[in-house]
Amino acid sequence: MVENTMKKVVEASYLTAEKAWSYRTILRFFFIQHERMRDYITPEEIFNYLKDISEFQTYTEEQLHLDLAQLVKWNNLIARQDMGNAKTIEEYKKKRFRYQCTPYTVEIERMLQSLEKLGDSFKGSLERTQFDRLLQALIQLEKELAPKPQPNNEEIAQIWDDIFSYFRNIRRNTADYIAYINSEKTEEQMQTEAFLVYKNQFTAYLRDFIVSLQKTSMQIQQRLTELNDEKCAQIYEAVMQHKLSIPRLEDAGLSKEELLEEHVDLWQSLYQWFLGSPNHQSELDMLQLQTNEMIRRITRYVQRIGERHQNFRSRRKDYLHLAKWFSGLEDIREAHKLSAVVFGTIETRHMMSEAMPTEDIYADVWDIKPLELTIKPRTNRYREKTKPGAIIGNQAEKETMRKLYLLQLEEEKQLIQKYMKNNRIQISELPVIEPFVRKMLLTWIGKSMATKEQKVKTDFGMTVKVTLDEHNRVYLRSEDGMLEMPDAELIFSES
């Protein structure tokens, strides 16, 4: 397998050769005749075909024979000597040949024909029938696996080919259509007003696909789950027996182990596409998510286009209606109320403050003293008067503030210890507590949830480990109300 991928593909040389214009024309003629069930073509027939093309008016038979010989050398054609039609010794000596295109050439030309039809953008489709056909094929496969005197290997192999034919179509068509919808060209077209004509068709197409997919996919997943390893082994054996029974000289050295590995890989790809794996989401779920996202995106585009239309809509009638409404009011206060509802507040006042007078994050607004602000003149010529001053040391005040802080910290620690039992606090066992204690407990719980070990160090020099019980909801009661929360256990230890 690796050796085949590393070797040079000589059969594709005619695509980029200097005389590609003649090689490609000749091989396209061979491909068309192959599709019409005509395998062997004579040089005369090829030459007559080429002479009808304007670019080949100066083309000679000698050039044709040289081109055919080169294509035979590149394994694009197979030359077979025509012995029966020689009427003279000279004709026999000239070695009249008939030519047949090789399988490589047929597949290359088939691919080129598909690429020519493809164009510059993805096509694809979201076909509901492919999922239905895949489901019916799986059901038929289960019926063939029922206990029988002699399993029908040919029928099982045919169903196997049908399953993966539908599966390949599903993968290719859905992937191409998703790429088409997500392409930059399609996105630009969706943002134009011309898209409004197709929005209902797009949304209905996607919605019907989602509904059908949800109905069918669950049945497919169930069928795949029911096909256990024992049944899969029976399927592999039947398909391999049928393939090995077909006489092919080139497959004489193909081992049963290689066939088994190929079939197992195919089945696993089908299984994982619909059911996923422990570490990866299934492609089916991704397809549903992408289709839903497409519907939401189309809705957003339509909404934006509608908003653009709304901006240019005349509101003359709306204002006339409001004017009649205002003229019908006899009280000016009622008119003021109506104006406030329709136009909002006419005059607004903006309040500002320089900074909070305290760094305590738990301080309430009504506990803070009012802040006095000195308003400066609004002119660029104003300058504050300055005078030199001495540096004043506030060591005594700092020491006083430090002692007050430590005293407050000790009081808070004693307050917390009042609710501790054996260095433990259980939320469900707490009585009515102070608001400060509630804030402190919630702070510890919040900070501990952000750590891997669910531990947090307190300002009191202790370490708290928090364990939440999500299944048990309790009420944390305090003097200013109750808070419903999961029960929590706080265990304190010295750092």
Side-chain angles (χ1 to χ4, degrees), residues 29 50 131 152 180 215 255 285 368 403 420 436 451 471:
F29 177 73
L50 295 176
F131 287 93
N152 191 341
Y180 165 72
K215 291 180 179 178
S255 66
D285 294 338
I368 301 173
K403 290 181 179 179
M420 293 171 56
F436 164 76
T451 63
H471 303 289

Side-chain angles (χ1 to χ4, degrees), residues 370-381:
L371 192 65
E372 294 183 2
L373 297 177
T374 302
I375 300 177
K376 301 176 183 178
R378 300 182 62 181
T379 173
N380 55 4
R381 296 183 178 181

Side-chain angles (χ1 to χ4, degrees), residues 315-478:
R315 302 193 65 183
R316 180 171 176 270
K317 293 183 179 180
D318 297 342
Y319 289 128
L320 287 174
H321 179 74
L322 283 174
K324 291 179 181 179
W325 203 350
F326 275 103
S327 65
L329 298 176
E330 299 179 355
D331 190 353
I332 188 64
R333 288 177 296 182
E334 294 295 324
H336 286 322
K337 292 179 181 178
L338 179 59
S339 174
V341 172
V342 175
F343 302 110
T345 306
I346 302 300
E347 296 181 1
T348 58
R349 293 184 178 182
H350 301 277
M351 310 298 293
M352 64 164 290
S353 64
E354 291 186 347
M356 290 289 289
T358 178
E359 295 182 357
D360 186 3
I361 62 174
Y362 302 111
D364 296 318
V365 176
W366 44 82
D367 296 332
I368 301 173
K369 294 181 179 180
L371 192 65
E372 294 183 2
L373 297 177
T374 302
I375 300 177
K376 301 176 183 178
R378 300 182 62 181
T379 173
N380 55 4
R381 296 183 178 181
Y382 173 75
R383 296 291 184 273
E384 292 186 9
K385 294 180 180 181
T386 59
K387 59 181 180 179
I391 298 177
I392 302 172
N394 298 320
Q395 190 64 30
E397 294 180 6
K398 292 180 181 178
E399 186 64 26
T400 303
M401 292 296 294
R402 190 179 71 85
K403 290 181 179 179
L404 288 174
Y405 173 74
L406 293 175
L407 181 61
Q408 181 183 358
L409 200 63
E410 184 64 26
E411 291 176 354
E412 293 173 356
K413 181 178 180 181
Q414 292 178 0
L415 191 60
I416 291 291
Q417 288 178 342
K418 183 174 68 172
Y419 300 105
M420 293 171 56
K421 296 180 180 178
N422 297 326
N423 292 330
R424 171 181 170 274
I425 293 179
Q426 188 76 28
I427 297 297
S428 57
E429 298 174 0
L430 288 175
V432 179
I433 59 177
E434 294 80 359
F436 164 76
V437 177
R438 182 197 67 220
K439 292 179 181 179
M440 188 61 67
L441 293 175
L442 294 178
T443 301
W444 292 341
I445 293 173
K447 289 182 177 180
S448 67
M449 292 298 102
T451 63
K452 184 177 181 180
E453 298 179 353
Q454 296 185 348
K455 290 183 179 181
V456 64
K457 191 172 182 179
T458 69
D459 295 337
F460 312 134
M462 296 184 295
T463 301
V464 183
K465 178 175 175 57
V466 180
T467 305
L468 280 182
D469 185 1
E470 297 286 349
H471 303 289
N472 185 18
R473 306 286 294 183
V474 298
Y475 286 98
L476 178 60
R477 296 168 296 169
S478 58

